[in-house]
Amino acid sequence: MSFTLALAVLLAFSAGVYVLGRRRASALGPKAELHSLPGYYGTWVALWTGVPAALILILFLTAGPRLGEALLSADPPAAVASLPSETAQAFWSDAQAIADGRTPSNIQWTADQRAALTAKAQQARDFNGFAAFAAVALAAVLALGGFLLSWPRIKPTLRARNQVEGWISIALMACSAIAVLTTVGIVASLLYEALRFFASVSPLDFLFGLQWQPQIAMREDQVAAKGAFGAVPLFAGTFLVMIIAMCVAAPVGLFCAIYLSEYAGRTTRGIIKPLLEILAGVPTVVYGFFAALTVGPLFRGFFNYIGSWLAEGPLDPLGQYLMAVQNEMALTAGVVMGIMLIPYISSLSDDIINAVPQSLRDGSYAMGATKSETVKRVILPAALPGVMGAMLLAISRAVGETMIVTMAAGSQARITANPLDSVTTVTRQMVEILTGDQEFDSPRTLAAFGLGLTLFAVTLALNVIALRIVQKYRQAYD
């Protein structure tokens, strides 16, 4: 029996047990005499029946293959013992693939190795069959045991609701622990690799260096083998794109939020807001294509046209520069990123503006103020802390955006404030460094983790500031 079928049978059995437990609780007497509703009794019995058995099946499903590989490789045949580690690993993978009915690799094994492969595949097949039988049998025993132990305890005095809520609390705590441990693991791995990078490159040179040329550290025999890992040009490009994006997203998103919350009717709001929030669900790669295929050529054509007007005149140098503008520039990436952030800012700002107490509006109108005066002098000042928090969250989103800048910003590591220049960002460089074959003993590869750790610290600081501002706002009006 496959694990999927076993889980389906267990689910059906638990559902049947739930129905039986509910009926048994209902038959004990009127609902007023029961501690909990009959559904809680059925749920309690179903939990004891299904959860331990499901955990056993999931444990064998996840750990079974690794356990089988460990047992197989514990007694390697003579034909495999002398193989290099990579080839031996391929041998064990082929044995497991043959045992599972999958296609093995294209490696041409010798006669002795093929015989050993057949024997090990049969051994793996026997172990898999035994493990599956043992897992299903143990799950069946646990399911029946849970049912037999819980069924006699269904009585009017049983605190079924409290115990079901205890199960739910344990499940929620487990989910929270998984989320926290996952975050801790990600940060720990990032910190470990970043410290390896900073062991070979000074943190001061990294944080304050003005040259970014990690490619020259690929070989020891190169002229400047030490490399240049100054991250200032990367963060300059990142913040330039971010500033352009916020110049687009902040006013449009805020004015959109003001219109939706204060001026739009209920029907108009019900149509515009969902349409606007559709933009938030568009994958960033689509925005990247939009930037590379539409916005970039449009901007290039516009500036080339302006340059052709200025060429051969008093502003000939400027005209020549504008005529050389290409598709990839900070302006393209910033504008498209700003479009991407509009629903993010408008949705948060709309919720914040709607949270302003109606008594403030009524007081303003009672003083004879118009709607625009109320918005400018009462609502926006009251909502300003929350709106600022939304802006900071959008900034942290813009700093970490990868796909749009990869496809539209360019790849030149330079310190510039000109939006028409090609620049590169931290995330773009991380993608370039970690693409293709990598050597994780090289400072060039480890530089990606140094950049990631620095970017993580920047976005974490922005999020903490934003949450602090929003928290202060909530304390004022809750």
Side-chain angles (χ1 to χ4, degrees):
M1 179 182 291
S2 67
F3 284 100
T4 305
L5 180 59
L7 284 172
V9 171
L10 179 62
L11 181 62
F13 182 62
S14 300
V17 166
Y18 167 79
V19 174
L20 292 177
R22 181 170 180 170
R23 287 181 179 176
R24 179 180 172 86
S26 299
L28 292 176
K31 291 183 180 179
E33 297 181 0
L34 299 176
H35 175 273
S36 308
L37 293 174
Y40 283 106
Y41 292 91
T43 304
W44 182 71
V45 177
L47 287 173
W48 274 107
T49 302
V51 172
L55 290 177
I56 289 297
L57 291 177
I58 294 173
L59 179 63
F60 272 85
L61 186 62
T62 55
R66 293 185 178 275
L67 181 61
E69 292 179 4
L71 291 176
L72 284 180
S73 58
D75 183 22
V80 180
S82 59
L83 293 177
S85 59
E86 294 182 358
T87 308
Q89 183 61 39
F91 176 86
W92 300 120
S93 298
D94 281 359
Q96 196 67 46
I98 295 173
D100 295 339
R102 294 180 283 113
T103 303
S105 65
N106 296 324
I107 297 178
Q108 299 297 322
W109 303 105
T110 63
D112 294 342
Q113 291 169 347
R114 283 200 303 272
L117 187 64
T118 303
K120 284 297 179 181
Q122 182 60 41
Q123 186 178 350
R125 195 177 294 113
D126 294 342
F127 172 79
N128 292 341
F130 173 76
F133 174 78
V136 172
L138 182 58
V141 170
L142 288 176
L144 289 175
F147 172 70
L148 294 176
L149 289 175
S150 60
W151 181 262
R153 296 179 60 188
I154 297 180
K155 298 176 182 177
T157 57
L158 176 65
R159 303 170 70 87
R161 179 174 61 82
N162 300 63
Q163 298 202 26
V164 169
E165 291 177 351
W167 280 86
I168 296 175
S169 298
I170 293 174
L172 294 177
M173 289 176 60
C175 293
S176 301
I178 291 173
V180 172
L181 292 176
T182 302
T183 304
V184 171
I186 293 173
V187 174
S189 63
L190 181 63
L191 184 61
Y192 174 76
E193 299 295 344
L195 291 177
R196 291 180 61 197
F197 168 71
F198 288 124
S200 56
V201 176
S202 170
L204 294 179
D205 294 340
F206 175 75
L207 294 176
F208 301 104
L210 303 180
Q211 287 189 341
W212 177 258
Q213 294 177 326
Q215 66 278 7
I216 62 176
M218 288 294 292
R219 298 199 315 269
E220 293 294 337
D221 58 345
Q222 288 180 312
V223 176
K226 187 178 179 181
F229 295 97
V232 172
L234 306 185
F235 282 96
T238 301
F239 288 122
L240 176 61
V241 174
M242 180 267 292
I243 290 171
I244 296 172
M246 291 307 296
C247 288
V248 174
V252 177
L254 181 58
F255 291 157
C256 182
I258 293 173
Y259 171 73
L260 290 176
S261 60
E262 299 298 325
Y263 291 94
R266 179 174 298 179
T267 303
T268 306
R269 175 185 171 86
I271 296 173
I272 293 180
K273 189 169 184 180
L275 290 177
L276 186 64
E277 291 183 345
I278 288 176
L279 291 174
V282 176
T284 56
V285 67
V286 176
Y287 285 104
F289 281 125
F290 177 62
L293 301 179
T294 303
V295 179
L298 187 66
F299 283 171
R300 183 198 61 187
F302 173 75
F303 288 111
N304 290 167
Y305 178 73
I306 297 295
S308 64
W309 269 48
L310 299 177
E312 300 180 357
L315 298 177
D316 181 70
L318 178 60
Q320 296 296 332
Y321 171 76
L322 293 177
M323 290 177 66
V325 169
Q326 299 298 318
N327 292 350
E328 292 186 338
M329 52 182 157
L331 183 63
T332 302
V335 168
V336 176
M337 191 184 297
I339 295 173
M340 182 192 73
L341 293 176
I342 286 174
Y344 193 72
I345 293 177
S346 64
S347 180
L348 288 175
S349 300
D350 178 53
D351 294 339
I352 293 166
I353 292 174
N354 279 325
V356 174
Q358 183 63 30
S359 58
L360 295 180
R361 296 177 176 84
D362 295 339
S364 177
Y365 294 144
M367 296 294 291
T370 63
K371 177 168 284 189
S372 62
E373 290 172 339
T374 302
V375 170
K376 287 186 292 186
R377 301 184 179 182
V378 176
I379 296 176
L380 283 182
L384 187 60
V387 172
M388 289 302 298
M391 297 293 177
L392 289 175
L393 289 175
I395 289 174
S396 65
R397 175 81 182 275
V399 169
E401 171 55 32
T402 304
M403 189 57 68
I404 295 176
V405 295
T406 301
M407 301 177 72
S411 59
Q412 299 296 321
R414 63 176 67 172
I415 302 174
T416 179
N418 187 351
L420 304 184
D421 282 345
S422 172
V423 298
T424 190
T425 64
V426 174
T427 51
R428 166 70 186 265
Q429 284 299 307
M430 293 170 66
V431 171
E432 287 188 358
I433 290 173
L434 296 178
T435 302
D437 296 334
Q438 305 300 329
E439 295 179 359
F440 281 85
D441 293 333
S442 168
R444 179 181 183 275
T445 305
L446 295 176
F449 297 95
L451 292 172
L453 182 63
T454 309
L455 192 63
F456 173 77
V458 172
T459 53
L460 179 63
L462 290 174
N463 279 275
V464 169
I465 295 172
L467 292 175
R468 180 58 185 159
I469 293 175
V470 172
Q471 188 180 27
K472 185 177 180 180
Y473 166 77
R474 286 177 178 170
Q475 286 178 349
Y477 290 99
D478 277 349

